[in-house]
Amino acid sequence: MATEKKITSRIRQKHDVAANWAKATNFTPQKGEIIIYDAEYDSNGSETQAVRFKIGDGNRTVNNLPFAVIDY
């Protein structure tokens, strides 16, 4: 019988605000790589942009990928 091993780790995804992702014109995420667009807030603390994300396909640059759609 195989011995069970517990792996304790954290995975940190690439994340930034939309303005900085717009500058990433040469970045091509690997297939399945998650790219997170952080929430943005105005000076009053009100959210102006919700968190969004894209999933790399290994071919298109981050700016040419569509945002992932969650169908509730």
Side-chain angles (χ1 to χ4, degrees), residues 5-6 9 14-16 22-23 27 31 33 35-36 42-43 51 56 59 61-63 66:
K5 292 184 180 181
K6 182 177 180 180
S9 62
K14 290 177 173 59
H15 67 96
D16 211 331
K23 298 174 190 174
F27 175 59
K31 186 174 183 176
E33 186 173 11
I35 306 302
I36 300 171
D42 64 17
S43 59
V51 172
N59 295 311
T61 62
V62 70
N63 293 312

Side-chain angles (χ1 to χ4, degrees), residues 21 24-33 35 37 54-68:
W21 279 121
T25 57
N26 294 324
F27 175 59
T28 303
Q30 295 179 5
K31 186 174 183 176
E33 186 173 11
I35 306 302
Y37 284 63
K54 297 181 176 186
I55 300 174
D57 64 4
N59 295 311
R60 292 182 279 184
T61 62
V62 70
N63 293 312
N64 291 315
L65 287 168
F67 285 100

